[in-house]
Amino acid sequence: MAAAVESKVSGDEGRNKAIACAVFKRLSLDPNKLSSESIGGSDIASLFSNILQLSESKDSLSNEDQIMKWVAFASSFPSKADACLASLDYLNEDLKQKAILLGNGLEPSVADIVVFSAVHSFVSHLVGMAVQKFPNVVRWMDYIQNKEDFGGVFEKIVVSKPDFQPLVSGDSKAPEALDKDSVTNEKKKKALEKESCEKDAQCSISVLNIQIGVICKAWRHPSADSLLVEEIDLGDGSLRQVVSGLAKFYSSEDLVNRRVVLITNVKPGKLRDVTSSGLVLCASNQDHTVVEPLIPPEGASLGEKISFSGYDGKPEDVLNPKKKQLEKITPHLYTDDKGVATYKGVPFMTSAGPCTSSIIKASVK
């Protein structure tokens, strides 16, 4: 089973709109009451309380205690990747032997609507092995997204399912022949899946060696006004020289002693006759008028490697420019609405927390 998503939800506002739209329909509330006032702030528990106050019937909810338990779960759903995975593990176990969170049948409850909305953004960015760890969650989300109307806020998670080929009446193939065909088709399918995984791995964030460093010295490039040259310490006792296009945004003095995040396995090359052996990752706004190097968290060590939950491959020793791996990866690097640097929504994580930027919803490269 694999999952993918075409675009991310537009933050708390979009999530709250989706919850309100679906719950209004479930509780048969007047859609004319659906307004910014009824949606309220970003807290899911407050939003749900506001919606219930609009309900004229005090008996609108059955299993209210259980519903409020799941509302609390949704409201406290964490933002850090490791904590999110722990919460999903709990949800996956709860869904092990049932189709929905509450109720005896197949009709989703208000709790299903609220929890789906809370976890959608994180689950939609899980890939590969991370998806396979939560089969019950993915199966449940696929069911909910096809049963409930969220007002078009959420992009559907595309879940790949096994094909079923029924035996056509009058088919002359013997069972033994069908078994052989099945084995052959299964081998072809596994070969294609392996090839696809290998191609995905070649342009996954796991091929990059991203580390934390500190700029010890910086100066103007001798023959390019837009470039600065930096000497960066990775904590291994040697200095790495990197050329960056930061001269329009920072003076040399501004960068000295600044901690940065950089890709250290790019192929060394010369930029206007000056050798560069790395790439400092920076966030920038849409028109590229504001640029800022990513900020490692306090407490993260020099040389520490950045990790991404669900991407556990080994970095390449040196990137091959002919494979254009960076060109394929950087479009998926951005900061979220809280300024956390991410790859496809998965945070740049260190032992002390995620890397960040003061520029929200920025591209990173």
Side-chain angles (χ1 to χ4, degrees), residues 45-65:
S46 299
L47 163 68
F48 193 71
S49 177
N50 290 345
I51 294 175
L52 291 186
Q53 289 177 11
L54 296 175
S55 175
E56 297 177 357
S57 172
K58 295 182 179 179
D59 300 322
S60 296
L61 298 179
S62 58
N63 300 324
E64 183 171 352
D65 290 343

Side-chain angles (χ1 to χ4, degrees), residues 17-241:
K17 178 183 176 183
I19 293 175
C21 179
V23 174
F24 265 55
K25 291 186 177 181
R26 175 52 52 87
L27 300 182
S28 301
L29 298 178
D30 183 356
N32 293 323
K33 294 182 180 179
L34 182 57
S35 63
S36 58
E37 289 77 14
S38 63
I39 292 177
S42 62
D43 179 71
I44 291 179
S46 299
L47 163 68
F48 193 71
S49 177
N50 290 345
I51 294 175
L52 291 186
Q53 289 177 11
L54 296 175
S55 175
E56 297 177 357
S57 172
K58 295 182 179 179
D59 300 322
S60 296
L61 298 179
S62 58
N63 300 324
E64 183 171 352
D65 290 343
Q66 289 297 310
I67 289 175
M68 295 312 296
K69 181 194 82 169
W70 285 112
V71 169
F73 171 88
S75 186
S76 61
F77 191 73
S79 57
K80 290 187 177 181
D82 290 343
C84 286
L85 293 173
S87 294
L88 284 186
D89 194 46
Y90 171 81
L91 182 60
N92 191 69
E93 186 65 24
D94 190 86
L95 288 165
K96 192 172 183 178
Q97 295 184 351
K98 56 187 181 181
I100 56 177
L101 293 176
L102 292 180
N104 298 320
L106 296 176
E107 188 67 24
S109 67
V110 172
D112 290 275
I113 293 170
V114 174
V115 174
F116 175 94
S117 303
V119 305
H120 179 278
S121 180
F122 184 79
V123 174
S124 65
H125 291 96
L126 293 178
V127 295
M129 292 299 293
V131 175
Q132 296 175 22
K133 286 179 64 178
F134 307 108
N136 302 323
V137 171
V138 175
R139 177 255 306 161
W140 166 76
M141 294 194 73
D142 185 45
Y143 182 69
I144 299 301
Q145 70 182 356
N146 287 294
K147 288 284 288 183
E148 297 296 326
D149 179 5
F150 291 96
V153 172
F154 296 124
E155 292 288 346
K156 281 197 172 183
I157 299 174
V158 181
V159 180
S160 58
K161 303 173 183 177
D163 294 329
F164 173 66
Q165 298 291 342
L167 182 63
V168 179
S169 177
D171 196 325
S172 58
K173 285 189 177 183
E176 293 81 1
L178 290 175
D179 287 343
K180 289 180 180 179
D181 286 346
S182 298
V183 172
T184 302
N185 290 335
E186 185 65 24
K187 286 182 178 179
K188 288 180 179 179
K189 181 180 177 182
K190 288 183 177 180
L192 289 172
E193 287 177 350
K194 182 179 179 181
E195 182 181 354
S196 176
C197 288
E198 289 174 349
K199 287 182 178 179
D200 288 343
Q202 290 177 2
C203 59
S204 162
I205 193 72
S206 60
V207 304
L208 302 184
N209 194 19
I210 306 177
Q211 296 176 262
I212 296 172
V214 61
I215 297 175
C216 299
K217 184 179 177 182
W219 63 94
R220 286 272 185 177
H221 191 289
S223 57
D225 292 339
S226 63
L227 301 178
L228 290 177
V229 186
E230 303 106 26
E231 284 187 352
I232 301 177
D233 182 9
L234 293 172
D236 57 2
S238 60
L239 298 177
R240 181 180 295 254
Q241 182 170 285

Side-chain angles (χ1 to χ4, degrees), residues 201-210 240 262-269 278-279 281 314-330:
Q202 290 177 2
C203 59
S204 162
I205 193 72
S206 60
V207 304
L208 302 184
N209 194 19
I210 306 177
R240 181 180 295 254
L262 68 156
I263 302 173
T264 57
N265 63 337
V266 294
K267 186 176 181 179
L279 178 65
L281 289 173
K314 181 181 178 182
E316 295 194 2
D317 293 333
V318 179
L319 297 180
N320 184 348
K322 292 182 179 180
K323 294 181 180 180
K324 299 186 180 298
Q325 291 154 304
L326 275 179
E327 289 86 342
K328 295 173 182 177
I329 294 170
T330 51

